[in-house]
Amino acid sequence: MDGQSSFIDTIGHGTHVGGITGAHSNNGIGVAGMNWDGQLMAIRVCKAIPYFPYNTCDPTGMVQGISYAVANGAKVINLSLGSGTPCSSSPVQQDTINSAISRGAVIVAAAGNNGVNAAQFSPASCTGLITVGALDQSNARSLWPGGQSSNYGARIDIAAPGSAILSTYKEGGYESSNGTSQAAPFVSGAAALLLSVNPSLKPQQVKDCIINSGDPITTDLPLGGRKLNVLRMLQQCG
């Protein structure tokens, strides 16, 4: 997808996100992921550039990555990445997402970290997927050092933890990190967990269940009005 055949994570971002979704548990090492029995498919769609969280990714790579994931059986696709242009500016993104959903894939996207309306970002502003905002430990919209904060707006469907998240890191390490990139895999892991106990659910049903089972929250700027609640999700839809 990025012009190379290697999926080795040279930045650490993908490994951190993957650990939140599916790090093994009950092994006395590190952290436990949301769905520790799931299978992860590593697809590198962004070029290995310094300071990745502060850069954008080429939508072409995302489109190729989604297509590859669906063709190889992915049931949940996590997009902890973004471009500072609305989805409407690149119709091929929406078309690819629509195709993936029609083939049974649940797609989860990070809202973005620029403290602006998520409608200005893609894939966050694309329709059909689950767009995730970030919360801190007090259930407030995440604000991070350097002036960054979680994007907000009507396009966000659900919120999840995105401040000081400890997870796996490249070369076998563990790091704490911030971002909607960290919030999104909590939701992706929850979606995979739900499908593991109720595989007959369609993508829209998974999305509806995740949103409707969330805890009500009030934030300074809108983050969907609900926080992910995995137990209630499983009770209602599992």
Side-chain angles (χ1 to χ4, degrees):
M1 273 21 93
D2 65 351
Q4 303 180 42
S5 59
S6 172
F7 58 82
I8 299 300
D9 184 3
T10 59
I11 299 298
H13 182 270
T15 304
H16 199 272
V17 169
I20 296 169
T21 300
H24 285 296
S25 67
N26 296 330
N27 57 7
I29 302 173
V31 298
M34 292 292 292
N35 183 358
W36 50 86
D37 248 354
Q39 293 180 311
L40 295 178
M41 184 187 303
I43 304 174
R44 195 167 74 187
V45 301
C46 300
K47 293 182 179 180
I49 51 180
Y51 313 113
F52 165 80
Y54 305 102
N55 285 271
T56 58
C57 298
D58 185 346
T60 301
M62 186 202 74
V63 166
Q64 293 176 337
I66 292 174
S67 299
Y68 180 90
V70 173
N72 285 275
K75 299 301 181 184
V76 180
I77 299 174
N78 184 84
L79 299 174
S80 285
L81 50 85
S83 172
T85 55
C87 191
S88 58
S89 68
S90 178
V92 67
Q93 290 188 78
Q94 187 66 65
D95 291 344
T96 302
I97 289 168
N98 292 345
S99 176
I101 293 172
S102 71
R103 296 174 66 180
V106 176
I107 304 181
V108 180
N113 305 332
N114 296 76
V116 300
N117 196 311
Q120 301 177 35
F121 275 69
S122 60
S125 61
C126 297
T127 60
L129 42 70
I130 306 172
T131 302
V132 186
L135 294 172
D136 64 16
Q137 294 86 340
S138 300
N139 285 339
R141 186 174 64 93
S142 289
L143 306 174
W144 304 296
Q148 289 196 314
S149 61
S150 173
N151 285 355
Y152 56 86
R155 186 57 200 88
I156 296 180
D157 299 299
I158 192 82
S163 293
I165 306 300
L166 182 67
S167 185
T168 50
Y169 200 64
K170 63 177 181 176
E171 300 175 354
Y174 296 88
E175 295 282 348
S176 179
S177 190
N178 302 311
T180 57
S181 283
Q182 280 60 46
F186 280 105
V187 177
S188 294
L193 189 62
L194 180 57
L195 287 171
S196 74
V197 297
N198 194 346
S200 66
L201 291 174
K202 304 299 183 184
Q204 185 62 48
Q205 293 175 308
V206 172
K207 177 178 180 177
D208 291 343
C209 184
I210 288 173
I211 295 171
N212 294 335
S213 63
D215 294 327
I217 56 170
T218 300
T219 50
D220 63 334
L221 294 167
L223 293 180
R226 292 183 180 270
K227 175 186 177 181
L228 178 68
N229 185 322
V230 178
L231 175 59
R232 188 176 295 123
M233 175 195 74
L234 293 174
Q235 290 171 335
Q236 292 185 3
C237 305

